Amino acid sequence: MFIKIDFESDMPIYEQLRRQIIKGIAKGDLEKGEQLPSVRQLAEDIGINLHTVNKTYNILKEEGYLAIDRRKGAMVKDIMPMVDEEYINNLYSELEYIIANSYCRGISKEEFLKLCEDIYDRLENKQGGEKYD
Amino acid sequence: MFIKIDFESDMPIYEQLRRQIIKGIAKGDLEKGEQLPSVRQLAEDIGINLHTVNKTYNILKEEGYLAIDRRKGAMVKDIMPMVDEEYINNLYSELEYIIANSYCRGISKEEFLKLCEDIYDRLENKQGGEKYD
Amino acid sequence: MFIKIDFESDMPIYEQLRRQIIKGIAKGDLEKGEQLPSVRQLAEDIGINLHTVNKTYNILKEEGYLAIDRRKGAMVKDIMPMVDEEYINNLYSELEYIIANSYCRGISKEEFLKLCEDIYDRLENKQGGEKYD
Amino acid sequence: MFIKIDFESDMPIYEQLRRQIIKGIAKGDLEKGEQLPSVRQLAEDIGINLHTVNKTYNILKEEGYLAIDRRKGAMVKDIMPMVDEEYINNLYSELEYIIANSYCRGISKEEFLKLCEDIYDRLENKQGGEKYD
DNA sequence: GTGGTCTAGACCACA
DNA sequence: GTGGTCTAGACCACT
């Protein structure tokens, strides 16, 4: 599994896990329709509590990333969650803060955009292709 | 004061306050060398406890945004904090997550970059010019 | 626990506690990776408020002495904090004052160096050997 | 005047001033019997409150560094304060902490002693000779 | 049970 | 008046 948890981070474990799964989906490491490890399995692999994995799965289900089937466990949805107004507002507010912070510290618009572009490009090229790394 | 706290938010008040002050500095609402309200004053204005404001001020001091002068209280530093390796790593990791999330939801690279560019432009034009709002 | 607080001292409790923990680490009373008492536990043992202990733990975390693990609470880091320029400058300035003060009062260079050497030797011999006290 | 105050420091101004005067005496910048600027004068020069200078002078008088004459103001005593048990205890405890901190961070005994020796040498050579700098 | 957050009120040091 | 410290007690998030 590609999950790495930093137990000394300020960020809750369930949130670290959530973000890594989303990154995994974006990168194509987790393909649409793919089944995720069971709560028990993943918890053991990472060395965290089973409830923590469960919490993450449920949040991702709420967000529309996962479907949870009683028999087959969690799987990546075929259709990704949509962009609603709330998402845009949060994104805007978050970016506003990040950019303000970077701007104050002297990171130019060009540098920042280049960084974002690189990250996007890496995603687009990796899509469904992590086997060729 | 230009501070708005969302008491329903999951984000701690001191962190909301911290971010708004950073945004305020980036926008030029708070100018370099400018004195901030006293912890008591600001706490009263916002309707929160003075310790919460104090915590925010101290974090911003640690980060290099504020200086706490024994005579005049908190003020915006003349020199903004630098970009160090830790900052870049955090920024990268944060953006990686945000972009993964947006990418999954179908926001194109162009849309995302446009959004960032707009935010940057708004900052650059506002800098030192909040009088013309 | 080996902590002794002087409630009459001008030095804040959290700072006394911080120094004693650092001394404890240096002496080997607290080993790398060792778990510290919970804030509540230590606060009760010492007879101070848990927030005061919490403050000390957080400062030591910032300094790189402790890691706060979400599962196990505070523990001594495996890798000690580095010496950076800021540390050297503070050390120099502090020693400059201490030596000036001692020099004025007639403490000779030899006496002073001997004192430092003794303290160093005591640390080096105690390291990992507090069982033989 | 050779005084530099850092208004953003955590150390109280009166204590910064006190330490710099002691350093000044040790270096010979202030000679025994020499008259110090008046409280008013020094306060104005440094840009601090007159009470703050007054507090420093009084502490240094208590410590035995200064004599305060109603007519001539403060002057450096001909005889420096002695080393008493309290002084030694404080010195020891302070050094113990400083050395523990340095030791943890990997500063070797030799490095530390060299640093102290350098500071001592610089004092001894400067004694009464700052004019030849 | 752990630490994190927030509130509240007190007292003190500093300037 | 300023921030710094300490106490106290409550609630919450996380595991």
Side-chain angles (χ1 to χ4, degrees), chain A residues 47-62:
Chain A
I48 62 177
N49 193 294
L50 167 157
H51 299 312
T52 308
V53 178
N54 203 31
K55 178 167 186 169
T56 300
Y57 279 10
N58 277 309
I59 292 174
L60 287 168
K61 180 184 126 200
E62 285 304 313

Side-chain angles (χ1 to χ4, degrees), chain C residues 65 92 101 107 109 120 122, chain D residues 65 92 101 107 120 122:
Chain C
Y65 273 112
Y92 188 87
N101 205 353
I107 296 178
K109 182 168 82 174
Y120 245 106
R122 209 159 301 132
Chain D
Y65 274 112
Y92 188 87
N101 206 351
I107 296 178
Y120 245 105
R122 208 159 301 133

Side-chain angles (χ1 to χ4, degrees), chain B residues 21 59 62 113:
Chain B
I21 291 175
I59 291 174
E62 285 304 313
L113 293 180

Side-chain angles (χ1 to χ4, degrees), chain C residues 20 22 32 44-45 52 72-73 80 82 86 103 106 113:
Chain C
Q20 296 209 30
I22 290 176
K32 291 173 186 177
E44 195 180 348
D45 286 357
T52 308
K72 295 179 286 185
M80 288 288 102
M82 306 297 289
E86 193 193 351
Y103 176 71
L113 292 180

Side-chain angles (χ1 to χ4, degrees), chain A residues 2 19-31 127, chain B residues 100 104:
Chain A
F2 57 94
R19 292 186 173 205
Q20 296 207 28
I21 292 176
I22 291 176
K23 285 187 193 176
I25 295 173
K27 282 188 197 166
D29 291 346
L30 289 167
E31 291 176 32
Q127 179 72 335
Chain B
C104 285

